[in-house]
Amino acid sequence: MTLSLSASESPSEALPRVANWHGLIHTYRHYLPVTDRTPIVTLHEGNTPLIPAPAIASEIGRGVQVFVKYDGLNPTGSFKDRGMTMAITKAKEAGAKAVICASTGNTSAAAAAYARRGGMRAYVLIPDGYVALGKLAQALLYGAEVLSIKGNFDRALEIVREVSENYPVTLVNSVNPYRLEGQKTAAFEVVDVLGDAPDWLCIPVGNAGNISAYWMGFCEYHQEGRCSHLPKMMGFQAAGAAPLVSGEKVTHPETLATAIRIGNPANWQRAIAVQEASRGEFNAVTDDEIMTAYRKLAAHEGIFCEPASAASVAGLLKHKEKVPAGAKVVCVLTGNGLKDPDSAIKFSENNFRQGVEPHLEIVAQMMGF
Ligand SMILES: *Cc1c(COP(=O)(O)O)cnc(C)c1O
């Protein structure tokens, strides 16, 4: 651990490249499959803040430093934008007219935004009744053709895979290799800001594209000597949708964290390879643990993420005894809290007193004065 920043400092301010940020493909083009003639489709995604989380850190103690990679601050509100700028750019370069994806919500929002910006049609299949409101709103307004199917994500993915094999549409789920290429830049940013790789990387896992992409990024930087070591990759799944923990597909995945409600991860083999190579772990966190971390991040750190994202922090707190003293931990917050207003309101009902009489004395009394 070579870094001298304390957890209360903001490490990103010193970086000069931030001033003229034109998206992650421009910034990391030497690491990405593009040429001077590639038509880059960008919304200036990436360059998201790495924010110290002192309240979470103090719960662990022993000099452990915790940072969150707040990828909910991407243009459509999730890390999916990192993969989508790359996947849509390559689709456009290849002359595609349309793209398709299955989605628990965020992929559809990102695919729709980038496809439309690149002048392509976007078709998205989502599981009926299990997509957070903000994500659905985005896909619709960006102008995607949205098909809500009577089945779960895993079934939707099977269908779009077949569609893309038989019709002229490009698949942009994380089985598309360009998605992972774009997403690996999040690891570059973490190292660029911290000055080295963290000791642990905690990350929510659904299809396991993101954990695989981070690992690719860390390994590429390590080969170039930009970081001195590789992190232990700690993947967390929701207890009701934890195939990588049990080693078996889950036929009926269930969790409030709808973004990771996945029973048969598309990147299963990759995920196992990452776990082995990094001496990492896959563990499950319950919905209760997820929602506790979700509230804690908002109320103690001022950081609003979506429930699935909080699985990374829930997992860290659950396994805090294993964190080495003085270690630096990065938790990935994959999506913005505004994506899922229903969950936010439902899990903060206690703070909400409605129908209050509009009188000073009554208001002051309810405030506890
Ligand atoms: C897609 C997504 C995940 C899961 O990422 P995978 O690459 O599928 O493992 C986690 N959180 C949010 C908010 C997501 O949108």
Side-chain angles (χ1 to χ4, degrees), residues 37 39 46 90 129 180 184-185 203 217 242 263 286 294 306 318 342 344 358:
R37 275 164 294 123
K90 293 305 280 186
L180 303 199
K184 77 185 178 189
T185 61
I203 184 168
T286 65
Y294 172 68
E306 63 175 284
K318 187 168 185 168
D342 294 319

Side-chain angles (χ1 to χ4, degrees), residues 110-139:
Y114 284 83
R116 302 305 290 158
R117 191 167 177 88
M120 283 169 256
R121 300 180 80 117
Y123 297 95
V124 308
L125 263 67
I126 56 174
D128 230 357
Y130 287 94
V131 170
L133 195 62
K135 307 176 188 183
L136 181 59
Q138 287 178 292

Side-chain angles (χ1 to χ4, degrees), residues 86-265:
M86 199 63 239
I88 297 292
T89 290
K90 293 305 280 186
K92 190 174 171 73
E93 187 173 47
K97 299 278 182 281
V99 301
I100 191 167
C101 65
S103 177
T104 58
N106 283 330
T107 302
S108 67
Y114 284 83
R116 302 305 290 158
R117 191 167 177 88
M120 283 169 256
R121 300 180 80 117
Y123 297 95
V124 308
L125 263 67
I126 56 174
D128 230 357
Y130 287 94
V131 170
L133 195 62
K135 307 176 188 183
L136 181 59
Q138 287 178 292
L140 294 173
L141 195 71
Y142 287 134
E145 324 274 336
V146 180
L147 305 179
S148 185
I149 65 155
K150 295 181 191 163
N152 61 24
F153 170 87
D154 302 295
R155 181 66 193 127
L157 183 62
E158 287 168 8
I159 295 172
V160 298
R161 275 183 193 252
E162 276 194 44
V163 171
S164 71
E165 280 160 22
N166 294 298
Y167 301 94
V169 285
T170 302
L171 184 62
V172 293
N173 279 104
S174 60
V175 290
N176 178 325
Y178 298 123
R179 279 277 310 276
L180 303 199
E181 290 289 329
Q183 286 168 213
K184 77 185 178 189
T185 61
F188 296 165
E189 291 176 15
V190 167
V191 174
D192 287 347
V193 170
L194 276 183
D196 204 342
D199 300 294
W200 276 30
L201 188 95
C202 299
I203 184 168
V205 175
N207 274 307
N210 212 23
I211 193 171
S212 307
Y214 264 91
W215 182 246
M216 277 168 56
F218 287 125
C219 288
E220 284 183 32
Y221 253 28
H222 189 239
Q223 270 171 1
E224 290 209 337
R226 288 179 176 265
C227 50
S228 67
H229 64 279
L230 291 164
K232 187 187 268 291
M233 303 294 280
M234 300 293 284
F236 295 102
Q237 299 202 287
L244 292 167
V245 180
S246 67
E248 279 165 27
K249 287 184 202 176
V250 178
T251 322
H252 298 290
E254 274 311 336
T255 170
L256 293 169
T258 52
I260 52 173
R261 188 172 170 270
I262 288 164
N264 184 18

